[in-house]
Amino acid sequence: MAAARSHTQTSLPPSAASRSARTWAVILAACAGQFLVVLDVSVVNVALPSMRADLGLSATGLQWVLNAYSIAFAGFMLLGGRAADIFGRKRMFLVGLGLFTAASLAGGLAQEGWQLLAARAVQGLGAAVLAPATLTLVTAAVPPGPARTRAIGTWSAVGAAGGAAGGLVGGVLTDLLSWRWVLLINVPVGVLVLACAVAWLSESRVAEGRRLDLPGAVLVTGGLAAVAYGIVQTEESGWAESGTLLPLLGGLVLLGLFVAVEARTAAPLMPLKVFRSRAVSAANVAMTVTGSVSFAMWFFMTVYAQNVLGYTPLEAGLALIPSSLSIVIGSKLAPRLMVRAGARNVAVLGALIAATGFGWQSTMGADGSYLTTIALPGVLMMTGVGLVATPLASLATSGAAPGDAGLVSGLVNTSRTMGGALGLAILSTAAASRTGGATTAEALTSGYALAFRTGTGVLLGAALLMLLWLPRPERAAGPES
């Protein structure tokens, strides 16, 4: 009897236990979707040589295997975020994941280069619809407070793990099976997550009766896509060529027209009032700046390991496991630190830790050891990045009105993705300026080192920006007007 009473006293009521299980089921489904879309930003990197040999892609075509995905992903993200608010979070999650899964199947079965590029573009579109819905589902499932912060920490950690795992997953699948499985692996995972989402997720929307702002959607999508296209063209044409300048300038013009339209339309895609929140505006700018170096880190570490140290794709992926684990640990540690120090201070601390790692990495040599030129600097860099991501996402979403949750979630992902594309282009240009076309190990190392030194400066600037602009700790939990 005593044991029975003790059990009764310590058990959750069935309704509470059921709500808790359902909440974590929602978080699990949302995080699985986020993992897939972030994974596919980088998972194809190590498979590119095999794709080129099998499909006869040109050097430019090979570059667009990456660019088709990233441009569609960044360009349609805001549209996907607003669609989640208007048409329903569950519905858009299912639409985005279904589109992403179908495009993965088409890409894995591609017989011609254009078929692969088209599939990658559709994948990016599906990811743009899916990604904002994942964060919105998480914030809608958990009430504001420490529990939501922990849930966002889990979401950030899983997303970070997706980006970090790309090299390893791609290397394993390419070496053991074929490049096709880099895309085909998404199919069984996507089908499983779709089935779980249908069973677990509940529909929610907060913008009943509203229409999608089609002029705004066309302008912002076209503008972001043009800017992204211009950015990725810098690696081939440089910053001063017409092939780069025309899309960049055209994209900026479209974005300017978008702002003008949004200021006048009755039901805007992106109400400009969201930027009156200091938390939303500052967190998104900081996400762009920090994302600009964190995405590039994986690229340069991978090519350094393969082109200079002579690692195979699989060995390069394995070498980055400590870094991959570190970004997950940083993302999960951040919520606990936020309770004690506040979101702003944790984000600043993370940027400083990451800058220390980038500075250490910039001392790399052509004959460096694994421990001191990959493992330990990588752990510092990615622990810091993990500490930054969670407080910024938390601040941005807590600063949004309920009706704008999907929009702000899309804005967070857009900021990070666009920052990554811009940062990779800038740091690649810096590295190329140092190597001058030379391909010796010493020349390549010198170029990579300059890229990491540049990243160090960017992170120090980000830390100062966040210290001055992000809300103070006592004000970080709620929106600002």
Side-chain angles (χ1 to χ4, degrees):
M1 289 293 292
R5 284 194 300 270
S6 175
H7 178 74
T8 301
Q9 291 169 355
T10 57
S11 297
L12 286 172
S15 59
S18 176
R19 284 196 300 271
S20 178
R22 189 174 189 85
T23 295
W24 280 104
V26 170
I27 293 172
L28 178 62
C31 287
Q34 178 70 0
F35 181 87
L36 284 177
V37 300
V38 178
L39 177 74
D40 267 63
V41 173
S42 59
V43 73
V44 300
N45 284 340
V46 298
L48 291 176
S50 299
M51 291 177 176
R52 183 175 187 175
D54 198 11
L55 300 180
L57 289 165
S58 65
T60 301
L62 202 64
Q63 183 183 24
W64 279 98
V65 175
L66 301 174
N67 297 343
Y69 182 87
S70 61
I71 288 176
F73 190 14
F76 287 97
M77 196 99 67
L78 282 180
L79 181 61
R82 181 50 88 194
D85 286 333
I86 296 176
F87 301 118
R89 284 81 180 260
K90 177 179 179 178
R91 178 180 297 175
M92 299 315 297
F93 181 91
L94 296 176
V95 168
L97 183 56
L99 194 60
F100 181 88
T101 303
S104 298
L105 177 62
L109 298 177
Q111 300 301 309
E112 300 287 342
W114 69 266
Q115 295 171 350
L116 175 61
L117 298 184
R120 287 287 287 170
V122 177
Q123 257 195 318
L125 175 60
V129 175
L130 174 61
T134 62
L135 181 54
T136 309
L137 284 168
V138 170
T139 56
V142 185
R148 176 182 286 184
T149 301
R150 289 193 296 271
I152 292 176
T154 300
W155 176 87
S156 297
V158 170
L168 175 60
V169 173
V172 169
L173 292 174
T174 302
D175 280 2
L176 299 184
L177 298 171
S178 79
W179 68 264
R180 295 183 182 278
W181 278 97
V182 170
L183 299 173
L184 291 176
I185 192 64
N186 294 328
V187 178
V189 177
V191 169
L192 177 61
V193 176
L194 274 170
C196 294
V198 169
W200 294 342
L201 300 184
S202 299
E203 188 58 278
S204 66
R205 62 171 63 88
V206 291
E208 274 306 340
R210 291 190 59 176
R211 294 183 178 181
L212 196 62
D213 172 23
L214 291 180
V218 170
L219 287 171
V220 73
T221 301
L224 289 175
V227 170
Y229 177 84
I231 289 169
V232 298
Q233 282 296 99
T234 59
E235 291 190 37
E236 181 178 343
S237 304
W239 287 95
E241 298 296 323
S242 60
T244 298
L245 290 177
L246 288 178
L248 282 175
L249 294 175
L252 292 175
V253 169
L254 290 176
L255 292 176
L257 290 174
F258 168 71
V259 172
V261 168
E262 297 307 280
R264 290 169 174 78
T265 188
L269 174 68
M270 186 179 70
L272 300 181
K273 65 181 181 180
V274 300
F275 293 105
R276 297 174 188 167
S277 165
R278 182 176 173 183
V280 172
S281 55
N284 275 283
V285 171
M287 188 72 82
T288 301
V289 176
T290 56
S292 70
V293 294
S294 62
F295 276 43
M297 175 269 181
W298 296 114
F299 173 79
F300 284 109
M301 292 291 276
T302 300
V303 294
Y304 170 65
Q306 294 183 68
N307 295 344
V308 176
L309 301 184
Y311 290 18
T312 67
L314 179 56
E315 289 170 342
L318 292 172
L320 294 177
I321 285 180
S323 303
S324 304
L325 295 176
S326 297
I327 195 170
V328 175
I329 292 171
S331 298
K332 292 298 292 179
L333 183 61
R336 298 184 181 183
L337 296 177
M338 288 165 61
V339 173
R340 297 174 178 270
R344 182 190 67 167
N345 293 337
V346 173
V348 171
L349 174 65
L352 293 175
I353 292 174
T356 302
F358 269 75
W360 186 352
Q361 188 64 51
S362 71
T363 65
M364 62 211 299
D367 56 352
S369 69
Y370 168 70
L371 185 64
T372 58
T373 59
I374 291 183
L376 294 181
V379 166
L380 277 179
M381 284 187 280
M382 290 298 101
T383 299
V385 169
L387 288 173
V388 169
T390 298
L392 291 182
S394 180
L395 281 168
T397 53
S398 68
D404 296 324
L407 165 69
V408 173
S409 298
L411 192 59
V412 168
N413 279 291
T414 299
S415 298
R416 180 162 51 186
T417 304
M418 288 300 296
L422 176 61
L424 182 57
I426 292 174
L427 296 183
S428 294
T429 301
S433 69
R434 177 59 59 90
T435 59
T439 58
T440 64
E442 290 75 13
L444 291 173
T445 301
S446 179
Y448 302 154
L450 178 59
F452 280 104
R453 279 196 295 275
T454 305
T456 303
V458 170
L459 284 168
L460 291 175
L464 180 61
L465 180 148
M466 290 186 287
L467 184 65
L468 297 177
W469 195 4
L470 288 177
R472 295 181 181 277
E474 62 271 21
R475 302 170 64 190
E480 282 192 23
S481 59

